């Protein structure tokens, strides 16, 4: 490490260059979305942990996914609100690297959890006789903690390498959080090894998880289509449609962002897609799961009825 080189003491997160009025509007808009995200995900966690009817593997994973979404959206949104509200866009190098680390640690964990949720649906629908034997409570807990651990480990090498980079200016990051490419562009050390390792990890995690998730849902859909009664088919489909919707939105945006040739400069489209997956998707998920799911809605009604008494 050459610490002698003059290194920047702070980064500036450029975010969106916008007029005062639009900034105020975005501040209010993102505050509302963020509050809704936190409260709806907390509601799901509460329902899933307190309602006996939801003590099933699928809801355990949905609850854990909600728990993850709360952390995930909190890595970027409060910081962005601070920028929009105060206009102070400075972030320390340590702050920036930590944001990068947590963003991708939790992002990778999302992939692993979604894959496990797909595997859970696959077992439940394609192998219903063995399902309860395999998906025991301890095994579910192991799978959940396994995804958190794998998420944490998979990003540690790219993050350590990122922290070794020297930044000697300019120090403006053309983004609203410390994403990989915008940060890398500012380094004055050679970054090819960082790029290769990050790309390999991203490809393995994203495409590997996508592959297994895709296979599971293909098997699920084939099995459902073979169910003779149309009522049974409908019932099986309705639990899976929400999962497939979440998976589709999620992998669609992530593959767009991280699996494609690197552009030299970030485009405004990147920022909009980033807003989508860091701000909007964490709110969309609880909506999709809870609005489409009968058992979840029933559990919510029974809680509300208790409150009315
Ligand atoms: C902006 O925030 C940083 C800490 O995040 C602080 O050190 C700096 O003084 C602030 N700048 C202004 C102009 O308030
Ligand atoms: C989700 O799983 C992780 C790892 O096993 C655990 O630490 C966390 O408490 C779980 N959260 C919920 C709400 O189930």
């Amino acid at each position: 490490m050459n610490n002698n080189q003059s290194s920047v003491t702070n980064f500036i997160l450029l975010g969106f260059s916008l007029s005062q009025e639009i900034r105020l509007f975005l501040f209010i808009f993102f505050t509302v979305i963020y509050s809704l995200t936190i409260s709806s995900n907390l509601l799901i966690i509460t329902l899933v942990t307190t309602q006996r009817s939801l003590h099933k593997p699928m809801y355990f994973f949905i609850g854990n996914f909600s728990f993850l979404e709360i952390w995930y959206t909190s890595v970027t949104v409060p910081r962005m609100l601070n920028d929009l509200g105060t206009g102070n866009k400075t972030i320390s190098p340590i702050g920036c690297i930590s944001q990068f680390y947590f963003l991708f640690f939790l992002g990778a964990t999302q992939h692993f959890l979604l894959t496990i949720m797909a595997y859970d649906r696959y077992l439940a629908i394609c192998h219903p006789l063995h399902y309860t034997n395999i998906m025991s409570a301890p095994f579910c807990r192991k799978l959940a903690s396994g995804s958190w651990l794998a998420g944490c480990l998979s990003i540690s090498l790219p993050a350590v390498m990122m922290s070794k980079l020297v930044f000697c200016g300019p120090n403006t990051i053309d983004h609203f959080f410390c994403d990989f490419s915008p940060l890398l562009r500012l380094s004055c050390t050679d970054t090819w090894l960082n790029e290769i390792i990050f790309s390999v990890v991203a490809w393995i995690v994203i495409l590997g998880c996508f592959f297994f998730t895709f296979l599971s849902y293909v098997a699920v859909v084939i099995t459902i289509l073979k169910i003779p009664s149309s009522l049974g088919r409908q019932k099986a489909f309705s639990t899976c449609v929400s999962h497939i919707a979440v998976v589709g939105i999620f992998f669609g945006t992530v593959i767009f962002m991280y699996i494609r040739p690197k552009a030299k400069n970030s485009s405004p489209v990147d920022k909009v897609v980033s807003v989508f997956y860091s701000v909007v998707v964490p709110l969309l998920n609880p909506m999709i799961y809870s609005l489409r799911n009968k058992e979840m809605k029933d559990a919510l009604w029974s809680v509300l009825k208790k409150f009315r008494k």
Side-chain angles (χ1 to χ4, degrees), residues 146-157:
S147 353
W148 286 76
L149 189 65
C152 171
L153 290 181
S154 60
I155 197 59
S156 46
L157 182 58

Side-chain angles (χ1 to χ4, degrees), residues 10 79 88-91:
N10 272 316
R79 170 75 228 186
N88 182 354
K89 301 177 169 188
T90 44
I91 185 167

Side-chain angles (χ1 to χ4, degrees), residues 74-196:
S74 299
V75 172
T76 50
V77 179
R79 170 75 228 186
M80 188 169 77
L81 288 177
N82 176 57
D83 294 356
L84 286 169
T86 65
N88 182 354
K89 301 177 169 188
T90 44
I91 185 167
S92 67
I94 291 279
C96 206
I97 303 275
S98 325
Q99 193 183 40
F100 166 79
Y101 178 76
F102 282 106
L103 190 69
F104 285 93
F105 153 33
L106 299 171
T109 307
Q110 281 182 329
H111 285 79
F112 295 122
L113 261 186
L114 282 178
T115 310
I116 286 169
M117 287 160 81
Y119 177 63
D120 170 71
R121 286 301 83 205
Y122 163 77
L123 283 183
I125 291 172
C126 304
H127 302 282
L129 297 181
H130 303 292
Y131 179 62
T132 40
N133 272 339
I134 299 177
M135 279 287 172
S136 61
F139 187 57
C140 287
R141 275 196 296 276
K142 267 188 208 143
L143 284 177
S145 31
S147 353
W148 286 76
L149 189 65
C152 171
L153 290 181
S154 60
I155 197 59
S156 46
L157 182 58
V160 167
M161 292 189 54
M162 181 68 102
S163 68
K164 302 249 185 235
L165 290 180
V166 179
F167 298 92
C168 27
N171 66 342
T172 32
I173 299 173
D174 188 16
H175 208 44
F176 58 87
F177 55 80
C178 295
D179 203 353
F180 179 72
S181 319
L183 197 53
L184 212 64
R185 269 184 222 122
L186 296 181
S187 171
C188 46
T189 30
D190 197 3
T191 58
W192 69 272
L193 193 59
N194 293 65
E195 277 179 54
I196 289 179

Side-chain angles (χ1 to χ4, degrees), residues 12-278:
I12 313 281
L13 281 171
L14 216 51
F16 296 99
S17 35
L18 298 165
S19 68
Q20 191 79 38
E21 293 81 39
I22 299 184
R23 245 180 47 198
L24 181 66
F25 168 76
L26 278 186
F27 178 78
I28 296 169
F29 181 68
F30 287 147
T31 306
V32 170
I33 295 214
Y34 184 64
S35 320
L36 282 176
T37 306
I38 301 292
S39 42
S40 55
N41 279 304
L42 277 180
L43 178 65
I44 289 190
I45 296 174
T46 313
L47 284 180
V48 162
T49 45
T50 57
Q51 297 307 108
R52 286 203 65 83
S53 65
L54 300 182
H55 284 179
K56 292 175 186 167
M58 181 172 98
Y59 297 106
F60 169 76
F61 292 126
I62 288 180
N64 207 271
F65 196 68
S66 285
F67 178 70
L68 175 62
E69 292 292 73
I70 291 178
W71 292 109
Y72 183 70
T73 191
S74 299
V75 172
T76 50
V77 179
R79 170 75 228 186
M80 188 169 77
L81 288 177
N82 176 57
D83 294 356
L84 286 169
T86 65
N88 182 354
K89 301 177 169 188
T90 44
I91 185 167
S92 67
I94 291 279
C96 206
I97 303 275
S98 325
Q99 193 183 40
F100 166 79
Y101 178 76
F102 282 106
L103 190 69
F104 285 93
F105 153 33
L106 299 171
T109 307
Q110 281 182 329
H111 285 79
F112 295 122
L113 261 186
L114 282 178
T115 310
I116 286 169
M117 287 160 81
Y119 177 63
D120 170 71
R121 286 301 83 205
Y122 163 77
L123 283 183
I125 291 172
C126 304
H127 302 282
L129 297 181
H130 303 292
Y131 179 62
T132 40
N133 272 339
I134 299 177
M135 279 287 172
S136 61
F139 187 57
C140 287
R141 275 196 296 276
K142 267 188 208 143
L143 284 177
S145 31
S147 353
W148 286 76
L149 189 65
C152 171
L153 290 181
S154 60
I155 197 59
S156 46
L157 182 58
V160 167
M161 292 189 54
M162 181 68 102
S163 68
K164 302 249 185 235
L165 290 180
V166 179
F167 298 92
C168 27
N171 66 342
T172 32
I173 299 173
D174 188 16
H175 208 44
F176 58 87
F177 55 80
C178 295
D179 203 353
F180 179 72
S181 319
L183 197 53
L184 212 64
R185 269 184 222 122
L186 296 181
S187 171
C188 46
T189 30
D190 197 3
T191 58
W192 69 272
L193 193 59
N194 293 65
E195 277 179 54
I196 289 179
I197 290 184
F198 181 80
S199 303
V200 169
V201 171
W203 278 62
I204 293 177
V205 171
I206 297 174
L207 295 182
C209 289
F210 180 68
F211 178 70
F212 285 110
T213 308
F214 185 74
L215 278 192
S216 306
Y217 285 125
V218 167
V220 163
V221 168
I222 291 174
T223 308
I224 290 177
L225 290 177
K226 280 194 217 144
I227 296 176
S229 84
S230 74
L231 187 67
R233 217 168 14 209
Q234 244 171 25
K235 206 165 154 247
F237 246 132
S238 75
T239 57
C240 285
V241 166
S242 49
H243 283 73
I244 294 176
V246 167
V247 163
I249 293 171
F250 184 76
F251 281 106
T253 47
V254 167
I255 288 177
F256 174 80
M257 279 305 287
Y258 296 104
I259 306 285
R260 58 171 184 170
K262 284 272 166 339
K264 266 274 166 286
N265 294 304
S266 65
S267 73
V269 176
D270 287 359
K271 289 186 194 168
V272 173
V273 175
S274 305
V275 165
F276 187 72
Y277 71 70
S278 57

